[in-house]
Amino acid sequence: MQKDDSASYDPNDAERNQPLTSAGDRPFDVDDDAADNFIPDAPKARELQEFYFETCVVTYRMFHRQTVEGWMEMFLRERQERKPLGQLLGNSRTAILLTIMAIATLRSKKVRREAYTEDEPFILQHSDRLFCAGMKLVDMEVGFPRLESAQARLIQVLYLLQTARMNKGWYRFGNVFHITLSLGMHRRWDQKRDFPFTSRRQNYITSECYKRTFWSAYIIDKYLSVVFGRPRLYQDEDIDQDFPERVNDEDMTPDRTKASDDADCHIDALIFHAKIARIIGKISREVYSVNDLSNQDRLAAANRLGRELHEWRAGLPPHLGTVKPSTLVPSFRRQAVALQLAYSHALIHANRPFLMSEAASENANECISATKASLELVNRMAGDTTLFHSFWWTHYVIFCALAVVYVWEIQRTTRSSGETYDADQIFDLAEECRGHLRRASTGLSQNQRYSVILDELRSEAQRCRTPHLQGSNLQGGEANDNSDFGFSFMQDPEMLCADAALQDGVMLDSFLFSDWQTLDSSAFFPLADPNSVSPTCFPAIP
């Protein structure tokens, strides 16, 4: 950490002294009392439920809306009769409703630009109380797991990620993973053998929600893997579950579907997000493999998976691909933007390891093109709060894109003068998006850490943008003021800008493939305990 930089992130004792599964996260500011006056009245509860399904849900469509609305009416009757929480509905279903209201409460404030201002503690306290009540119910659940057991914990993961409690979210997701496997949700229903056994007596809605919930969890798993730089939990070779059928909630019945016009289906986004998440998992496994693979093998994998990404993009239905998002209704616009952002990120993820290789100039160009596209998209999203706050991984994508811009700028001296991109334009675009990230960083610990790390990279990039500083600053003492993050490219900044050290192959050998994932996950390294030996930061394991 920079000791004299006001933008530095210095965790307080409350963040350090959390339970192990929450260490580093913002604590919950919730009074542990028996009063339940924080639960909204009936009109407000219905309003929050509607806001959740109309605005908050983008691609993670794990619920059947009409079923949840039925639960809400039972919940409100329970409240009217002053019965204990969960008595009529059960713990998991009640927890789902409480978390839906928590997410809707938080998101509605963000959309109205009320969150992350001086009122932030009050706003979070309200949504946190709803969430913590639901979490307590889930922790008290007894008996064998059911579909709602997985759904309750998965929607809690989404709340934790949206409030930047990333560590708690990661551990909670492990619970989701185990429940989905215990229910056989990763397996296709074999009617002849009635497997998995939990498929017995399922109606059509329940069967489809099994698929929706599993694939939502699958997507989150792949993104948690790249954000944290940790192994994926779901392994593709163990999965044969079908994608959900293309049918909207209002067209579903317990027996089957109603006749409907499925030209534009909300489930398309879930299906295509799951498909690109599968490709992202392959990129992590093959391009960033911890095995001793040659650069040529990694490059071949990146090219093959890049073609898969292009095919995925070409296969999108018009309302998610070719139609201009601004012309779509809000729900489809959010889905289209989410998939565009996922596509740009996936291309960055596949090609950034070759950013500094003259032998892979096409990959470098594709990486920069995708980076520019993602920054332009984020810049447009920043003007629409219903978009900017719709995806919990937006800030991570901004971080990835900015890191690519700065590293690309640092090593520009090795590129030929005939480059196809306007470096100044991209750098200026990066500055705008850096401002969006910094403004969204209040109270979000990992965003503050992202900003500190990006400040270091940006500082190096600015030095390399100014020719006269390449000699004076880097050869003098100023370069020694930089923090040591443990990355090979930060150990010797002089190597980055000095022509003599940038001969063909030197940088590629010194900047390991795993360094990119280490950079991604650096905001989540365990913080050093001042009373013990500092932990060693190992490279990320894909």
Side-chain angles (χ1 to χ4, degrees):
M1 297 296 175
Q2 296 278 13
K3 292 184 288 293
D4 58 350
D5 187 348
S6 61
S8 292
Y9 170 67
D10 188 14
N12 55 41
D13 288 341
E15 291 179 356
R16 288 181 181 275
N17 299 326
Q18 290 249 67
L20 183 145
T21 59
S22 301
D25 292 345
R26 181 186 184 126
F28 292 100
D29 184 15
V30 176
D31 295 330
D32 189 16
D33 55 31
D36 57 2
N37 56 1
F38 60 92
I39 297 177
D41 58 21
K44 183 62 175 179
R46 293 189 183 100
E47 177 188 331
L48 290 172
Q49 176 184 250
E50 181 179 6
F51 184 83
Y52 173 81
F53 282 105
E54 292 293 332
T55 304
C56 301
V57 181
V58 183
T59 62
Y60 305 129
R61 292 184 170 266
M62 68 183 93
F63 300 115
H64 177 248
R65 178 171 179 171
Q66 287 70 27
T67 296
V68 174
E69 288 173 346
W71 296 347
M72 179 63 79
E73 294 309 310
M74 292 179 64
F75 173 79
L76 295 176
R77 186 166 72 250
E78 181 181 79
R79 306 303 305 140
Q80 186 177 23
E81 297 173 359
R82 300 185 179 278
K83 294 181 178 179
L85 283 176
Q87 187 175 90
L88 291 179
L89 274 177
N91 285 19
S92 291
R93 292 177 178 179
T94 304
I96 288 170
L97 295 176
L98 290 169
T99 311
I100 282 175
M101 290 187 284
I103 291 175
T105 297
L106 182 67
R107 188 75 68 79
S108 64
K109 300 296 184 181
K110 287 185 178 182
V111 167
R112 292 196 291 266
R113 298 181 183 275
E114 296 177 23
Y116 304 123
T117 64
E118 59 274 9
D119 295 328
E120 178 198 4
F122 173 76
I123 295 168
L124 269 180
Q125 187 179 52
H126 189 193
S127 61
D128 280 356
R129 292 190 74 182
L130 289 164
F131 171 79
C132 288
M135 189 165 59
K136 185 179 295 185
L137 286 174
V138 163
D139 291 341
M140 295 170 56
E141 187 179 13
V142 297
F144 294 107
R146 299 180 301 173
L147 169 63
E148 293 86 0
S149 306
Q151 289 176 324
R153 288 160 178 82
L154 188 56
I155 194 174
Q156 288 176 348
V157 169
L158 289 173
Y159 179 82
L160 291 166
L161 297 179
Q162 290 175 34
T163 56
R165 276 111 174 189
M166 305 296 288
N167 294 297
K168 180 68 173 178
W170 190 74
Y171 283 103
R172 198 67 167 180
F173 185 80
N175 201 205
V176 175
F177 168 73
H178 289 112
I179 291 175
T180 59
L181 293 193
S182 71
L183 291 172
M185 296 172 73
H186 60 299
R187 298 299 308 276
R188 181 187 300 122
W189 181 21
D190 186 338
Q191 291 181 319
K192 294 180 180 179
R193 297 177 177 82
D194 201 11
F195 180 85
F197 302 111
T198 51
S199 65
R200 289 178 180 172
R201 295 181 296 279
Q202 282 184 8
N203 61 38
Y204 178 75
I205 293 175
T206 303
S207 176
E208 286 303 299
C209 285
Y210 261 75
K211 299 175 190 176
R212 293 181 181 188
T213 302
F214 171 76
W215 287 111
S216 295
Y218 180 93
I219 296 167
I220 294 172
D221 177 44
K222 296 301 177 277
Y223 280 100
L224 286 177
S225 173
V226 296
V227 169
F228 280 100
R230 296 171 185 170
R232 299 160 306 286
L233 298 183
Y234 292 110
Q235 301 299 318
D236 289 338
E237 58 268 25
D238 299 326
I239 298 168
D240 67 353
Q241 179 60 276
D242 295 321
F243 290 121
E245 292 190 13
R246 298 182 63 254
V247 54
N248 289 315
D249 289 359
E250 61 271 19
D251 297 320
M252 299 174 71
T253 67
D255 297 328
R256 203 60 182 169
T257 64
K258 301 175 184 177
S260 64
D261 179 10
D262 60 356
D264 295 334
C265 179
H266 284 100
I267 302 302
D268 284 335
L270 170 59
I271 295 171
F272 278 92
H273 207 173
K275 289 180 177 180
I276 197 171
R278 179 182 285 167
I279 301 174
I280 290 171
K282 291 180 184 178
I283 294 168
S284 296
R285 184 172 64 250
E286 298 181 39
V287 178
Y288 296 87
S289 174
V290 296
N291 295 326
D292 188 18
L293 298 179
S294 68
N295 291 343
Q296 289 75 16
D297 288 340
R298 297 178 192 272
L299 179 60
N303 290 335
R304 183 181 72 256
L305 294 168
R307 289 191 294 271
E308 286 191 29
L309 288 172
H310 295 318
E311 291 171 1
W312 173 91
R313 177 69 176 78
L316 288 172
H319 71 283
L320 297 178
T322 56
V323 176
K324 191 175 182 180
S326 59
T327 65
L328 298 168
V329 297
S331 59
F332 285 132
R333 179 165 66 247
R334 285 188 290 272
Q335 291 185 340
V337 169
L339 295 183
Q340 285 183 20
L341 200 61
Y343 177 65
S344 294
H345 163 262
L347 288 173
I348 294 171
H349 190 50
N351 292 291
R352 64 183 178 173
F354 310 98
L355 191 63
M356 289 166 276
S357 172
E358 291 287 348
S361 58
E362 290 185 10
N363 299 79
N365 285 337
E366 183 148 53
C367 181
I368 296 302
S369 177
T371 299
K372 183 172 181 287
S374 65
L375 293 176
E376 289 173 340
L377 183 58
V378 166
N379 216 20
R380 292 195 297 271
M381 290 168 58
D384 184 345
T385 54
T386 64
L387 284 175
F388 192 78
H389 298 296
S390 290
F391 325 122
W392 65 267
W393 39 274
T394 300
H395 299 153
Y396 163 73
V397 175
I398 297 174
F399 174 78
C400 280
L402 293 180
V404 165
V405 171
Y406 296 146
V407 171
W408 178 65
E409 188 64 37
I410 285 169
Q411 56 84 53
R412 280 185 64 204
T413 53
T414 64
R415 292 199 300 272
S416 63
S417 58
E419 57 189 19
T420 58
Y421 295 100
D422 185 334
D424 291 334
Q425 181 190 35
I426 294 177
F427 199 87
D428 291 343
L429 183 60
E431 289 294 278
E432 290 188 63
C433 290
R434 176 173 169 267
H436 301 322
L437 182 64
R438 292 176 73 89
R439 283 188 290 275
S441 293
T442 305
L444 302 183
S445 59
Q446 100 274 9
N447 279 11
Q448 294 176 15
R449 294 187 188 187
Y450 279 158
S451 293
V452 170
I453 297 162
L454 289 171
D455 285 348
E456 292 295 320
L457 283 174
R458 178 175 174 270
S459 177
E460 294 301 325
Q462 287 182 318
R463 287 187 175 94
C464 293
R465 280 171 63 83
T466 309
H468 73 272
L469 288 179
Q470 293 182 13
S472 59
N473 289 349
L474 289 175
Q475 292 175 8
E478 187 172 340
N480 294 326
D481 292 336
N482 289 294
S483 304
D484 180 3
F485 285 98
F487 308 128
S488 59
F489 69 93
M490 291 296 291
Q491 309 253 340
D492 185 6
E494 198 166 43
M495 178 184 68
L496 294 171
C497 297
D499 289 341
L502 287 169
Q503 300 301 321
D504 194 20
V506 173
M507 177 58 74
L508 186 60
D509 290 338
S510 63
F511 197 116
L512 304 177
F513 287 87
S514 61
D515 283 340
W516 282 106
Q517 289 190 311
T518 304
L519 178 62
D520 285 350
S521 61
S522 55
F524 305 101
F525 284 157
L527 298 172
D529 185 341
N531 299 317
S532 65
V533 178
S534 297
T536 301
C537 293
F538 293 98
I541 301 175

